[in-house]
Amino acid sequence: MLGVILPVILGLPAALAQYEAIDTCCQALQGAGLQNVLFSGDAAYKNRTESYWSVSAQLTPHCIVQPTSTDDVVKVVNILVGDGACSSTKFAVRSGGHTTWAGSNNIEDGITVDLGLMTEVTFDKNTTVASIGPGSRWNGVYAVLDPLGYTVPGGRAGTVGVAGFLTGGGNSFYAARKGFACDNVVNFELVTADGKVVNANANENADLFQALKGGSGGNFGIVTRFDMQAFLAGNLWGGTATYNKSVTAQQIDAYVKWTDNVENYQAGSSIIFWSYLPVMSDIVILAAYEDTEGEEAPAGFDEFLAIDRIADTLRLDSHKALTDELEQAAGYRDIWFTMTFTNDKEIFTKIVDLNTAFVEEWKLLSADGDFITQCMFQSIPTIFSKHSVERGGNVLGLDKVDKNAIMLLFDIAVKTPEEEALARPLLRSYGRKMQEFAAKKGGLVDWQFLNYADSYQNPLGSYGAENVEKIRAAAAKFDPQGIFQTKAPGGFKISKVENGSKETSAPIEKEL
Ligand SMILES: Cc1cc2nc3c(=O)[nH]c(=O)nc-3n(C[C@H](O)[C@H](O)[C@H](O)COP(=O)(O)OP(=O)(O)OC[C@H]3O[C@@H](n4cnc5c(N)ncnc54)[C@H](O)[C@@H]3O)c2cc1C
Ligand SMILES: *[C@@H]1O[C@H](CO)[C@@H](O)[C@H](O)[C@H]1NC(C)=O
Ligand SMILES: *[C@@H]1O[C@H](CO)[C@@H](O)[C@H](O)[C@H]1NC(C)=O
Ligand SMILES: *[C@@H]1O[C@H](CO)[C@@H](O)[C@H](O)[C@H]1NC(C)=O
Ligand SMILES: *[C@@H]1O[C@H](CO)[C@@H](O)[C@H](O)[C@H]1NC(C)=O
């Protein structure tokens, strides 16, 4: 009720009209027989809102609609896109809800289409293809496939959603063997703006198929099923190791060597990060090591295992168990930044030093001391994109990068909106210093990982002109009216990418 009264008191007839229009649209969805239309007073609405991983993304749509089948999604799209009750209402699309920033997967003054009830996972023994509902989370996928002795390349934290992950590329433990996770999708089922169900695979709508592999699903329609090629997999060897920050130089040295060796050791995966943890009141080094063929402590890890560590959980275990272990604390406001640089010790070291300076500066600014930071490194060797190309290719544009590289995820998690407002420009300014240093050394790789990028970054533009053109063409062909560009404004939109623009530094002035 308050929502109705407020605009009247404030004398805002336009706001009231908009409020009524959205309410009418929500009612039209209910009127069409959709069972799960949730409003702000409902416990289920609260539950779904709280299930966004980052509090920054927990917006308050007028209602949330949860389709349970592809037919339901068709119904929802027809109502939202038609010129009836919803002609002036905007909407958002959400699957796992793990994108950190406000407005990617949710909307104020609009309707959120939440695929969270579409979590079916089935497995075809003949083809070993796993068919996965868009609202699935990776732990649900592995829970079905692990007992069958199969797996697919997916999230390394179990609660991450399938849909955003796969249409943003998806980096997994298996990238050195199988390319990006999206390269293992053999078919996407999609509902387009005109309410048609379309399949995209190597033989059918091949242009859309390729564009969906990295081009972010929200540019084309609503993906209602992912068919992925599974493969035989037993237990992996792996887990986490914790190190004192005093071994920073040794870790960097080992990681640079590791990155150049991935091509020779494709079963391995290694992520290392410098993390400030409130329980330690200090930065520690954490590493996630895995051997996807289940070889224990294989020689590829010798350099890392020779460094003194505080503790580790290294063991043989299932894909699911290893991703449950890498879960990250929810309930914070998360600010992320990503960049990519050539496999260079000097740049790596500078980034770690800048991260230390950032943490020291933030310790003085933080009101409550309750914050977590990560300065996380992941190898992006050229072998990843060679596998992508072998599997038909995607639009990530990494095949144009001819040197082994390292991707950075630099982030902070804070508790309050006030802290978010302070931390955001500070993190960006440090991110910019990192980019500038890498550029000065000739080692800034012009590629940004969409799954880690903040709202102001330009991952689609970083894929290169040819790929931008492919994404643009597929979006125009399957959504000629640009409904998913304007009426569903969330996420990285191809219409916002300028032709020929390559944003390589963070435009902090714009934000400040
Ligand atoms: C703890 C944590 C761990 C992570 N680990 C990894 C990792 O190991 N590797 C990696 O690559 N990434 C990782 N990520 C990043 C992750 O891939 C992205 O956040 C991704 O967007 C999550 O997918 P989602 O379904 O939860 O996305 P959402 O946030 O729900 O959606 C992302 C975008 O896709 C759109 N979208 C969602 N569903 C659909 C659909 N069905 N059809 C069309 N468009 C849709 C949304 O509108 C939105 O713009 C991690 C993130 C977190 C928070
Ligand atoms: C939402 O509800 C489900 C059960 O319906 C429950 O398992 C889950 O923990 C709830 N999540 C939140 C954030 O309350
Ligand atoms: C799988 O293969 C068997 C034997 O060839 C066949 O009988 C069955 O119909 C197939 N199942 C599917 C789902 O294609
Ligand atoms: C790291 O080592 C230093 C001594 O070199 C010690 O004071 C500190 O407590 C150690 N930190 C952790 C997290 O073990
Ligand atoms: C970019 O170029 C394409 C043609 O290649 C054109 O259709 C499109 O409108 C241009 N977009 C912008 C934003 O300039």
Side-chain angles (χ1 to χ4, degrees):
M1 267 332 267
L2 198 62
V4 184
I5 295 161
L6 215 54
V8 178
I9 295 172
L10 298 175
L12 295 170
L16 179 60
Q18 189 200 13
Y19 178 96
E20 283 181 343
I22 304 172
D23 201 51
T24 306
C25 174
C26 291
Q27 284 164 26
L29 292 166
Q30 283 182 310
L34 289 152
Q35 298 296 310
N36 308 291
V37 181
L38 317 175
F39 291 88
S40 61
D42 301 340
Y45 178 104
K46 184 165 183 279
N47 184 321
R48 289 311 288 163
T49 300
E50 287 171 359
S51 71
Y52 282 87
W53 183 76
S54 165
V55 176
S56 316
Q58 296 178 359
L59 307 183
T60 51
H62 192 86
C63 65
I64 297 170
V65 58
Q66 296 185 293
T68 59
S69 64
T70 300
D71 285 349
D72 268 4
V73 175
V74 169
K75 219 182 252 183
V76 168
V77 166
N78 282 335
I79 294 168
L80 290 178
V81 173
D83 29 282
C86 298
S87 59
S88 65
T89 297
K90 293 194 174 176
F91 64 96
V93 179
R94 177 255 165 116
S95 284
H98 266 54
T99 304
T100 55
W101 46 277
S104 160
N105 46 21
N106 209 350
I107 191 165
E108 296 290 356
D109 302 321
I111 291 176
T112 296
V113 181
D114 171 4
L115 287 307
L117 296 179
M118 293 177 65
T119 57
E120 196 179 21
V121 180
T122 59
F123 182 69
D124 182 329
K125 288 204 180 79
N126 289 6
T127 57
T128 74
V129 167
S131 293
I132 304 170
S136 304
R137 295 168 184 269
W138 288 106
N139 52 17
V141 176
Y142 304 147
V144 171
L145 299 181
D146 280 351
L148 301 172
Y150 282 84
T151 202
V152 288
R156 296 163 299 187
T159 60
V160 174
V162 163
F165 180 99
L166 285 175
T167 62
N171 195 16
S172 79
F173 294 144
Y174 292 91
R177 283 170 59 193
K178 309 277 178 186
F180 282 82
C182 65
D183 299 313
N184 297 269
V185 177
V186 293
N187 180 60
F188 297 86
E189 181 191 84
L190 181 96
V191 174
T192 51
D194 57 1
K196 293 220 167 67
V197 181
V198 167
N199 282 288
N201 53 58
N203 303 314
E204 210 180 333
N205 300 315
D207 46 357
L208 178 61
F209 180 52
Q210 199 177 35
L212 277 165
K213 293 190 275 181
S216 195
N219 279 305
F220 313 101
I222 299 180
V223 182
T224 46
R225 201 185 69 235
F226 297 86
D227 297 329
M228 291 189 79
Q229 186 62 61
F231 49 87
L232 276 171
N235 278 343
L236 292 77
W237 173 83
T240 54
T242 312
Y243 299 85
N244 195 297
K245 68 182 181 194
S246 60
V247 302
T248 289
Q250 290 155 270
Q251 274 289 355
I252 292 174
D253 207 36
Y255 205 80
V256 167
K257 286 183 190 151
W258 166 274
T259 300
D260 278 335
N261 192 48
V262 173
E263 185 149 3
N264 304 317
Y265 174 41
Q266 300 186 14
S269 165
S270 171
I271 304 171
I272 61 172
F273 53 111
W274 279 251
S275 182
Y276 174 89
L277 298 169
V279 288
M280 302 265 190
S281 301
D282 200 3
I283 295 175
V284 292
I285 305 173
L286 296 167
Y289 303 139
E290 341 284 332
D291 180 283
T292 61
E293 283 166 354
E295 194 186 331
E296 292 184 60
F301 284 100
D302 280 354
E303 294 262 346
F304 291 125
L305 297 179
I307 303 170
D308 279 340
R309 55 186 180 273
I310 298 170
D312 74 65
T313 65
L314 299 168
R315 67 206 185 270
L316 284 170
D317 216 334
S318 68
H319 197 186
K320 178 172 185 299
L322 290 167
T323 63
D324 287 341
E325 180 180 356
L326 290 179
E327 211 50 73
Q328 293 173 37
Y332 284 88
R333 295 174 170 270
D334 297 278
I335 307 161
W336 283 17
F337 167 85
T338 188
M339 63 177 269
T340 311
F341 59 99
T342 51
N343 186 28
D344 177 281
K345 210 184 332 188
E346 190 186 1
I347 299 171
F348 198 141
T349 304
K350 180 70 177 186
I351 290 171
V352 172
D353 288 347
L354 282 165
N355 174 62
T356 306
F358 169 71
V359 170
E360 290 307 320
E361 193 169 343
W362 182 253
K363 273 189 194 166
L364 301 175
L365 292 171
S366 169
D368 57 9
D370 186 0
F371 68 93
I372 299 170
T373 69
Q374 292 184 127
C375 182
M376 180 186 284
F377 299 87
Q378 300 180 27
S379 307
I380 304 287
T382 55
I383 186 69
F384 286 12
S385 55
K386 282 179 199 158
H387 288 312
S388 300
V389 171
E390 285 159 16
R391 285 161 188 271
N394 56 44
V395 289
L396 295 173
L398 272 173
D399 48 323
K400 72 182 156 53
V401 177
D402 59 5
K403 287 186 181 135
N404 294 332
I406 295 178
M407 168 170 70
L408 170 73
L409 169 59
F410 171 47
D411 62 70
I412 186 165
V414 297
K415 277 288 174 182
T416 66
E418 294 73 29
E419 299 222 292
E420 181 176 1
L422 263 182
R424 191 169 279 277
L426 189 67
L427 185 105
R428 283 186 191 186
S429 70
Y430 274 92
R432 188 149 117 141
K433 284 178 199 164
M434 292 169 180
Q435 285 173 319
E436 282 169 356
F437 186 84
K440 199 173 77 190
K441 295 290 167 186
L444 183 64
V445 174
D446 194 6
W447 183 79
Q448 295 165 354
F449 189 36
L450 188 138
N451 285 355
Y452 292 169
D454 195 12
S455 53
Y456 73 98
Q457 296 197 275
N458 183 18
L460 293 173
S462 80
Y463 293 176
E466 204 183 312
N467 292 302
V468 165
E469 203 40 56
K470 283 183 188 171
I471 298 168
R472 234 191 260 297
K477 180 168 162 190
F478 291 90
D479 179 16
Q481 291 178 280
I483 300 288
F484 280 92
Q485 300 300 316
T486 53
K487 217 173 142 66
F492 292 105
K493 294 295 171 185
I494 195 65
S495 55
K496 291 197 181 153
V497 176
E498 285 167 34
N499 285 330
S501 94
K502 284 287 195 71
E503 198 168 279
T504 50
S505 65
I508 48 169
E509 308 77 33
K510 263 195 228 163
E511 257 331 282
L512 286 173

PDB file of all heavy atoms in Angstrom, residues 177-204:
ATOM      1  N   ARG A 177      41.573 -28.590 -20.825  1.00  0.00           N
ATOM      2  CA  ARG A 177      41.257 -29.796 -21.611  1.00  0.00           C
ATOM      3  C   ARG A 177      40.123 -29.568 -22.591  1.00  0.00           C
ATOM      4  O   ARG A 177      40.074 -30.183 -23.659  1.00  0.00           O
ATOM      5  CB  ARG A 177      40.859 -30.943 -20.671  1.00  0.00           C
ATOM      6  CG  ARG A 177      42.015 -31.613 -19.979  1.00  0.00           C
ATOM      7  CD  ARG A 177      41.547 -32.564 -18.883  1.00  0.00           C
ATOM      8  NE  ARG A 177      40.669 -33.635 -19.352  1.00  0.00           N
ATOM      9  CZ  ARG A 177      39.949 -34.418 -18.536  1.00  0.00           C
ATOM     10  NH1 ARG A 177      40.002 -34.235 -17.222  1.00  0.00           N
ATOM     11  NH2 ARG A 177      39.194 -35.356 -19.023  1.00  0.00           N
ATOM     12  N   LYS A 178      39.167 -28.706 -22.198  1.00  0.00           N
ATOM     13  CA  LYS A 178      37.891 -28.627 -22.925  1.00  0.00           C
ATOM     14  C   LYS A 178      37.537 -27.232 -23.428  1.00  0.00           C
ATOM     15  O   LYS A 178      36.421 -27.025 -23.913  1.00  0.00           O
ATOM     16  CB  LYS A 178      36.750 -29.083 -21.987  1.00  0.00           C
ATOM     17  CG  LYS A 178      36.969 -30.419 -21.303  1.00  0.00           C
ATOM     18  CD  LYS A 178      36.577 -31.564 -22.214  1.00  0.00           C
ATOM     19  CE  LYS A 178      36.830 -32.910 -21.551  1.00  0.00           C
ATOM     20  NZ  LYS A 178      36.580 -34.029 -22.482  1.00  0.00           N
ATOM     21  N   GLY A 179      38.422 -26.265 -23.276  1.00  0.00           N
ATOM     22  CA  GLY A 179      38.062 -24.895 -23.623  1.00  0.00           C
ATOM     23  C   GLY A 179      37.141 -24.301 -22.564  1.00  0.00           C
ATOM     24  O   GLY A 179      37.059 -24.819 -21.449  1.00  0.00           O
ATOM     25  N   PHE A 180      36.469 -23.217 -22.925  1.00  0.00           N
ATOM     26  CA  PHE A 180      35.556 -22.602 -21.965  1.00  0.00           C
ATOM     27  C   PHE A 180      34.311 -23.480 -21.819  1.00  0.00           C
ATOM     28  O   PHE A 180      34.003 -24.296 -22.703  1.00  0.00           O
ATOM     29  CB  PHE A 180      35.205 -21.174 -22.394  1.00  0.00           C
ATOM     30  CG  PHE A 180      36.315 -20.226 -22.070  1.00  0.00           C
ATOM     31  CD1 PHE A 180      37.408 -20.092 -22.911  1.00  0.00           C
ATOM     32  CD2 PHE A 180      36.306 -19.520 -20.875  1.00  0.00           C
ATOM     33  CE1 PHE A 180      38.478 -19.262 -22.577  1.00  0.00           C
ATOM     34  CE2 PHE A 180      37.359 -18.693 -20.523  1.00  0.00           C
ATOM     35  CZ  PHE A 180      38.441 -18.558 -21.378  1.00  0.00           C
ATOM     36  N   ALA A 181      33.600 -23.290 -20.707  1.00  0.00           N
ATOM     37  CA  ALA A 181      32.420 -24.119 -20.464  1.00  0.00           C
ATOM     38  C   ALA A 181      31.416 -23.988 -21.612  1.00  0.00           C
ATOM     39  O   ALA A 181      30.809 -24.978 -22.046  1.00  0.00           O
ATOM     40  CB  ALA A 181      31.775 -23.742 -19.130  1.00  0.00           C
ATOM     41  N   CYS A 182      31.277 -22.783 -22.163  1.00  0.00           N
ATOM     42  CA  CYS A 182      30.314 -22.565 -23.261  1.00  0.00           C
ATOM     43  C   CYS A 182      30.656 -23.411 -24.484  1.00  0.00           C
ATOM     44  O   CYS A 182      29.759 -23.753 -25.270  1.00  0.00           O
ATOM     45  CB  CYS A 182      30.251 -21.081 -23.637  1.00  0.00           C
ATOM     46  SG  CYS A 182      31.767 -20.411 -24.329  1.00  0.00           S
ATOM     47  N   ASP A 183      31.931 -23.755 -24.654  1.00  0.00           N
ATOM     48  CA  ASP A 183      32.343 -24.561 -25.808  1.00  0.00           C
ATOM     49  C   ASP A 183      31.840 -25.996 -25.713  1.00  0.00           C
ATOM     50  O   ASP A 183      31.980 -26.775 -26.662  1.00  0.00           O
ATOM     51  CB  ASP A 183      33.869 -24.570 -25.937  1.00  0.00           C
ATOM     52  CG  ASP A 183      34.434 -23.174 -26.143  1.00  0.00           C
ATOM     53  OD1 ASP A 183      33.884 -22.442 -26.986  1.00  0.00           O
ATOM     54  OD2 ASP A 183      35.403 -22.806 -25.458  1.00  0.00           O
ATOM     55  N   ASN A 184      31.306 -26.347 -24.560  1.00  0.00           N
ATOM     56  CA  ASN A 184      30.790 -27.693 -24.343  1.00  0.00           C
ATOM     57  C   ASN A 184      29.268 -27.748 -24.413  1.00  0.00           C
ATOM     58  O   ASN A 184      28.667 -28.783 -24.153  1.00  0.00           O
ATOM     59  CB  ASN A 184      31.298 -28.212 -23.000  1.00  0.00           C
ATOM     60  CG  ASN A 184      32.818 -28.330 -23.006  1.00  0.00           C
ATOM     61  OD1 ASN A 184      33.357 -29.369 -23.341  1.00  0.00           O
ATOM     62  ND2 ASN A 184      33.508 -27.243 -22.696  1.00  0.00           N
ATOM     63  N   VAL A 185      28.650 -26.604 -24.742  1.00  0.00           N
ATOM     64  CA  VAL A 185      27.198 -26.592 -24.969  1.00  0.00           C
ATOM     65  C   VAL A 185      26.983 -27.059 -26.408  1.00  0.00           C
ATOM     66  O   VAL A 185      27.618 -26.548 -27.336  1.00  0.00           O
ATOM     67  CB  VAL A 185      26.609 -25.178 -24.778  1.00  0.00           C
ATOM     68  CG1 VAL A 185      25.112 -25.163 -25.097  1.00  0.00           C
ATOM     69  CG2 VAL A 185      26.852 -24.677 -23.356  1.00  0.00           C
ATOM     70  N   VAL A 186      26.103 -28.044 -26.581  1.00  0.00           N
ATOM     71  CA  VAL A 186      25.831 -28.514 -27.942  1.00  0.00           C
ATOM     72  C   VAL A 186      24.513 -27.963 -28.472  1.00  0.00           C
ATOM     73  O   VAL A 186      24.264 -27.974 -29.667  1.00  0.00           O
ATOM     74  CB  VAL A 186      25.854 -30.057 -28.047  1.00  0.00           C
ATOM     75  CG1 VAL A 186      27.265 -30.584 -27.796  1.00  0.00           C
ATOM     76  CG2 VAL A 186      24.860 -30.717 -27.092  1.00  0.00           C
ATOM     77  N   ASN A 187      23.693 -27.441 -27.589  1.00  0.00           N
ATOM     78  CA  ASN A 187      22.430 -26.831 -28.030  1.00  0.00           C
ATOM     79  C   ASN A 187      21.885 -25.905 -26.940  1.00  0.00           C
ATOM     80  O   ASN A 187      21.912 -26.252 -25.762  1.00  0.00           O
ATOM     81  CB  ASN A 187      21.392 -27.924 -28.316  1.00  0.00           C
ATOM     82  CG  ASN A 187      20.059 -27.350 -28.785  1.00  0.00           C
ATOM     83  OD1 ASN A 187      19.986 -26.668 -29.810  1.00  0.00           O
ATOM     84  ND2 ASN A 187      19.000 -27.580 -28.022  1.00  0.00           N
ATOM     85  N   PHE A 188      21.432 -24.736 -27.388  1.00  0.00           N
ATOM     86  CA  PHE A 188      20.705 -23.834 -26.500  1.00  0.00           C
ATOM     87  C   PHE A 188      19.250 -23.815 -26.961  1.00  0.00           C
ATOM     88  O   PHE A 188      18.989 -23.668 -28.166  1.00  0.00           O
ATOM     89  CB  PHE A 188      21.201 -22.393 -26.634  1.00  0.00           C
ATOM     90  CG  PHE A 188      22.633 -22.143 -26.254  1.00  0.00           C
ATOM     91  CD1 PHE A 188      23.653 -22.319 -27.187  1.00  0.00           C
ATOM     92  CD2 PHE A 188      22.973 -21.675 -24.992  1.00  0.00           C
ATOM     93  CE1 PHE A 188      24.981 -22.044 -26.863  1.00  0.00           C
ATOM     94  CE2 PHE A 188      24.290 -21.398 -24.653  1.00  0.00           C
ATOM     95  CZ  PHE A 188      25.303 -21.588 -25.589  1.00  0.00           C
ATOM     96  N   GLU A 189      18.323 -23.916 -26.013  1.00  0.00           N
ATOM     97  CA  GLU A 189      16.918 -23.661 -26.341  1.00  0.00           C
ATOM     98  C   GLU A 189      16.607 -22.261 -25.801  1.00  0.00           C
ATOM     99  O   GLU A 189      16.924 -21.954 -24.653  1.00  0.00           O
ATOM    100  CB  GLU A 189      16.005 -24.692 -25.669  1.00  0.00           C
ATOM    101  CG  GLU A 189      14.532 -24.483 -26.002  1.00  0.00           C
ATOM    102  CD  GLU A 189      13.629 -25.337 -25.113  1.00  0.00           C
ATOM    103  OE1 GLU A 189      13.325 -24.897 -23.986  1.00  0.00           O
ATOM    104  OE2 GLU A 189      13.239 -26.440 -25.545  1.00  0.00           O
ATOM    105  N   LEU A 190      15.991 -21.454 -26.653  1.00  0.00           N
ATOM    106  CA  LEU A 190      15.820 -20.036 -26.330  1.00  0.00           C
ATOM    107  C   LEU A 190      14.414 -19.590 -26.709  1.00  0.00           C
ATOM    108  O   LEU A 190      13.883 -20.013 -27.739  1.00  0.00           O
ATOM    109  CB  LEU A 190      16.837 -19.270 -27.181  1.00  0.00           C
ATOM    110  CG  LEU A 190      16.931 -17.768 -27.069  1.00  0.00           C
ATOM    111  CD1 LEU A 190      18.063 -17.429 -26.094  1.00  0.00           C
ATOM    112  CD2 LEU A 190      17.244 -17.135 -28.417  1.00  0.00           C
ATOM    113  N   VAL A 191      13.816 -18.749 -25.877  1.00  0.00           N
ATOM    114  CA  VAL A 191      12.547 -18.109 -26.255  1.00  0.00           C
ATOM    115  C   VAL A 191      12.886 -16.698 -26.720  1.00  0.00           C
ATOM    116  O   VAL A 191      13.513 -15.920 -25.987  1.00  0.00           O
ATOM    117  CB  VAL A 191      11.552 -18.088 -25.079  1.00  0.00           C
ATOM    118  CG1 VAL A 191      10.298 -17.299 -25.438  1.00  0.00           C
ATOM    119  CG2 VAL A 191      11.179 -19.521 -24.672  1.00  0.00           C
ATOM    120  N   THR A 192      12.511 -16.394 -27.945  1.00  0.00           N
ATOM    121  CA  THR A 192      12.843 -15.077 -28.504  1.00  0.00           C
ATOM    122  C   THR A 192      11.711 -14.084 -28.207  1.00  0.00           C
ATOM    123  O   THR A 192      10.641 -14.451 -27.731  1.00  0.00           O
ATOM    124  CB  THR A 192      13.085 -15.167 -30.026  1.00  0.00           C
ATOM    125  OG1 THR A 192      11.972 -15.845 -30.617  1.00  0.00           O
ATOM    126  CG2 THR A 192      14.351 -15.937 -30.338  1.00  0.00           C
ATOM    127  N   ALA A 193      11.975 -12.810 -28.516  1.00  0.00           N
ATOM    128  CA  ALA A 193      11.036 -11.738 -28.160  1.00  0.00           C
ATOM    129  C   ALA A 193       9.662 -11.936 -28.785  1.00  0.00           C
ATOM    130  O   ALA A 193       8.658 -11.447 -28.255  1.00  0.00           O
ATOM    131  CB  ALA A 193      11.626 -10.395 -28.578  1.00  0.00           C
ATOM    132  N   ASP A 194       9.599 -12.642 -29.907  1.00  0.00           N
ATOM    133  CA  ASP A 194       8.288 -12.875 -30.532  1.00  0.00           C
ATOM    134  C   ASP A 194       7.607 -14.139 -29.985  1.00  0.00           C
ATOM    135  O   ASP A 194       6.628 -14.621 -30.558  1.00  0.00           O
ATOM    136  CB  ASP A 194       8.422 -12.935 -32.064  1.00  0.00           C
ATOM    137  CG  ASP A 194       9.398 -14.015 -32.515  1.00  0.00           C
ATOM    138  OD1 ASP A 194       9.958 -14.729 -31.645  1.00  0.00           O
ATOM    139  OD2 ASP A 194       9.609 -14.154 -33.737  1.00  0.00           O
ATOM    140  N   GLY A 195       8.139 -14.664 -28.897  1.00  0.00           N
ATOM    141  CA  GLY A 195       7.493 -15.803 -28.236  1.00  0.00           C
ATOM    142  C   GLY A 195       7.723 -17.135 -28.926  1.00  0.00           C
ATOM    143  O   GLY A 195       7.038 -18.107 -28.664  1.00  0.00           O
ATOM    144  N   LYS A 196       8.730 -17.193 -29.813  1.00  0.00           N
ATOM    145  CA  LYS A 196       9.035 -18.465 -30.489  1.00  0.00           C
ATOM    146  C   LYS A 196      10.108 -19.234 -29.706  1.00  0.00           C
ATOM    147  O   LYS A 196      10.995 -18.644 -29.098  1.00  0.00           O
ATOM    148  CB  LYS A 196       9.572 -18.190 -31.888  1.00  0.00           C
ATOM    149  CG  LYS A 196       8.531 -17.585 -32.806  1.00  0.00           C
ATOM    150  CD  LYS A 196       8.636 -18.171 -34.223  1.00  0.00           C
ATOM    151  CE  LYS A 196       7.405 -17.813 -35.041  1.00  0.00           C
ATOM    152  NZ  LYS A 196       7.338 -16.350 -35.318  1.00  0.00           N
ATOM    153  N   VAL A 197      10.017 -20.550 -29.764  1.00  0.00           N
ATOM    154  CA  VAL A 197      11.052 -21.393 -29.151  1.00  0.00           C
ATOM    155  C   VAL A 197      12.040 -21.767 -30.255  1.00  0.00           C
ATOM    156  O   VAL A 197      11.659 -22.360 -31.276  1.00  0.00           O
ATOM    157  CB  VAL A 197      10.445 -22.669 -28.525  1.00  0.00           C
ATOM    158  CG1 VAL A 197      11.544 -23.520 -27.880  1.00  0.00           C
ATOM    159  CG2 VAL A 197       9.378 -22.297 -27.491  1.00  0.00           C
ATOM    160  N   VAL A 198      13.280 -21.405 -30.034  1.00  0.00           N
ATOM    161  CA  VAL A 198      14.308 -21.579 -31.059  1.00  0.00           C
ATOM    162  C   VAL A 198      15.420 -22.456 -30.487  1.00  0.00           C
ATOM    163  O   VAL A 198      15.768 -22.322 -29.320  1.00  0.00           O
ATOM    164  CB  VAL A 198      14.874 -20.178 -31.416  1.00  0.00           C
ATOM    165  CG1 VAL A 198      16.140 -20.269 -32.217  1.00  0.00           C
ATOM    166  CG2 VAL A 198      13.833 -19.352 -32.148  1.00  0.00           C
ATOM    167  N   ASN A 199      15.942 -23.358 -31.296  1.00  0.00           N
ATOM    168  CA  ASN A 199      17.118 -24.114 -30.883  1.00  0.00           C
ATOM    169  C   ASN A 199      18.325 -23.573 -31.628  1.00  0.00           C
ATOM    170  O   ASN A 199      18.233 -23.232 -32.809  1.00  0.00           O
ATOM    171  CB  ASN A 199      16.942 -25.604 -31.153  1.00  0.00           C
ATOM    172  CG  ASN A 199      16.064 -26.247 -30.094  1.00  0.00           C
ATOM    173  OD1 ASN A 199      16.482 -26.419 -28.953  1.00  0.00           O
ATOM    174  ND2 ASN A 199      14.812 -26.535 -30.432  1.00  0.00           N
ATOM    175  N   ALA A 200      19.427 -23.494 -30.933  1.00  0.00           N
ATOM    176  CA  ALA A 200      20.659 -22.998 -31.560  1.00  0.00           C
ATOM    177  C   ALA A 200      21.749 -24.033 -31.331  1.00  0.00           C
ATOM    178  O   ALA A 200      22.093 -24.343 -30.190  1.00  0.00           O
ATOM    179  CB  ALA A 200      21.049 -21.658 -30.954  1.00  0.00           C
ATOM    180  N   ASN A 201      22.244 -24.585 -32.415  1.00  0.00           N
ATOM    181  CA  ASN A 201      23.312 -25.592 -32.340  1.00  0.00           C
ATOM    182  C   ASN A 201      24.122 -25.520 -33.632  1.00  0.00           C
ATOM    183  O   ASN A 201      23.892 -24.627 -34.461  1.00  0.00           O
ATOM    184  CB  ASN A 201      22.696 -26.987 -32.111  1.00  0.00           C
ATOM    185  CG  ASN A 201      21.624 -27.313 -33.132  1.00  0.00           C
ATOM    186  OD1 ASN A 201      21.895 -27.300 -34.336  1.00  0.00           O
ATOM    187  ND2 ASN A 201      20.402 -27.580 -32.676  1.00  0.00           N
ATOM    188  N   ALA A 202      25.033 -26.454 -33.817  1.00  0.00           N
ATOM    189  CA  ALA A 202      25.942 -26.369 -34.964  1.00  0.00           C
ATOM    190  C   ALA A 202      25.203 -26.444 -36.303  1.00  0.00           C
ATOM    191  O   ALA A 202      25.679 -25.918 -37.313  1.00  0.00           O
ATOM    192  CB  ALA A 202      26.980 -27.484 -34.865  1.00  0.00           C
ATOM    193  N   ASN A 203      24.022 -27.088 -36.318  1.00  0.00           N
ATOM    194  CA  ASN A 203      23.305 -27.263 -37.587  1.00  0.00           C
ATOM    195  C   ASN A 203      22.134 -26.302 -37.772  1.00  0.00           C
ATOM    196  O   ASN A 203      21.697 -26.072 -38.887  1.00  0.00           O
ATOM    197  CB  ASN A 203      22.768 -28.702 -37.672  1.00  0.00           C
ATOM    198  CG  ASN A 203      23.883 -29.706 -37.539  1.00  0.00           C
ATOM    199  OD1 ASN A 203      24.933 -29.557 -38.167  1.00  0.00           O
ATOM    200  ND2 ASN A 203      23.690 -30.698 -36.687  1.00  0.00           N
ATOM    201  N   GLU A 204      21.641 -25.825 -36.678  1.00  0.00           N
ATOM    202  CA  GLU A 204      20.420 -25.022 -36.700  1.00  0.00           C
ATOM    203  C   GLU A 204      20.739 -23.678 -36.056  1.00  0.00           C
ATOM    204  O   GLU A 204      21.230 -23.637 -34.924  1.00  0.00           O
ATOM    205  CB  GLU A 204      19.390 -25.765 -35.829  1.00  0.00           C
ATOM    206  CG  GLU A 204      17.948 -25.605 -36.169  1.00  0.00           C
ATOM    207  CD  GLU A 204      17.091 -26.427 -35.181  1.00  0.00           C
ATOM    208  OE1 GLU A 204      17.588 -27.441 -34.635  1.00  0.00           O
ATOM    209  OE2 GLU A 204      15.960 -26.046 -34.944  1.00  0.00           O
TER     210      GLU A 204
END
